[in-house]
Amino acid sequence: MTERIEKALNEQMNAEMYSAYLYLSMASYFESKGLEGCANWMKAQTQEELIHAIKFYNFIVERGGRAVMAEIKAPPSEWESPLRVFEHALEHEQLVTSLINKLMELAIEEKDHATQIFLQWFVTEQVEEEASAGAVVDKMRLAGETSGGVFMVDRELAQRQLPIPMPQE
Ligand code: FEO
């Protein structure tokens, strides 16, 4: 593995950790508004991002590189509305898609086939990530800004299963 690839994989591991941090901040915002279902959706998303970060970690180590923990920047903690939170989540996923695409382009440039194959999972995953955040944005827009509509969406988002089961709360 070249130094450029190792550095770029480490940067993406950090970006996945930031994603986890951002979604946990969004969960906390929803918790403070009494929207437990939205908070549940964000906590499931946080766990997914941690799994993504660990996938990068494992791959770096398997290739004989060194996974280095860099500083994780602080995410925002306030948003204008529940809809705005999900719009931000969708925008964030679109940004992550562009980061994965750039990483893939670098792996092609460096003729690093193993990294290209590893990244294919993330290319597919990003389609799913954008679709699931986009679906909630659509629901929130339909619900409008009425509390009744938002609470209906909240009830639905409470159904999302956590990828990693948590101890009894
Ligand atoms: Fe790790 Fe939400 O992409």
Side-chain angles (χ1 to χ4, degrees):
M1 179 164 66
T2 65
E3 260 179 44
R4 276 178 90 197
I5 292 281
E6 185 175 346
K7 184 170 174 282
L9 290 170
N10 266 291
E11 283 168 3
Q12 190 58 37
M13 178 179 69
N14 183 268
E16 302 292 345
M17 291 300 288
Y18 174 76
S19 301
Y21 217 28
L22 173 66
Y23 292 132
L24 198 56
S25 185
M26 290 174 170
S28 172
Y29 165 86
F30 283 127
E31 221 96 53
S32 76
K33 304 283 178 203
L35 294 166
E36 302 289 337
C38 293
N40 173 67
W41 194 95
M42 286 298 172
K43 282 190 262 188
Q45 196 62 29
T46 298
Q47 289 189 349
E48 282 205 359
E49 300 303 347
L50 289 174
I51 292 167
H52 294 171
I54 293 169
K55 276 181 185 277
F56 276 96
Y57 173 103
N58 287 344
F59 184 70
I60 294 164
V61 172
E62 271 172 22
R63 298 288 305 280
R66 179 78 204 268
V68 181
M69 302 311 120
E71 190 176 353
I72 305 164
K73 72 174 181 194
S77 54
E78 289 298 334
W79 288 267
E80 281 163 30
S81 65
L83 170 62
R84 191 58 209 118
V85 182
F86 283 100
E87 284 175 345
H88 185 177
L90 175 59
E91 286 157 18
H92 182 69
E93 287 305 328
Q94 288 163 341
L95 171 75
V96 173
T97 300
S98 73
L99 294 177
I100 296 290
N101 288 343
K102 278 195 200 119
L103 201 45
M104 181 64 101
E105 281 156 28
L106 179 68
I108 292 166
E109 201 183 305
E110 296 278 315
K111 299 186 171 54
D112 185 334
H113 297 275
T115 299
Q116 288 172 46
I117 291 166
F118 168 72
L119 288 174
Q120 268 168 17
W121 184 89
F122 283 92
V123 170
T124 309
E125 176 70 3
Q126 281 312 118
V127 174
E128 178 62 34
E129 290 280 79
E130 285 191 34
S132 67
V136 184
V137 168
D138 291 344
K139 284 184 215 297
M140 279 286 177
R141 285 200 183 129
L142 273 172
E145 295 295 314
T146 63
S147 55
V150 172
F151 277 111
M152 259 172 58
V153 177
D154 187 67
R155 262 206 302 278
E156 193 184 326
L157 299 189
Q159 305 307 315
R160 184 175 179 182
Q161 297 292 316
L162 293 176
I164 307 164
M166 297 292 283
Q168 208 61 43
E169 290 173 339

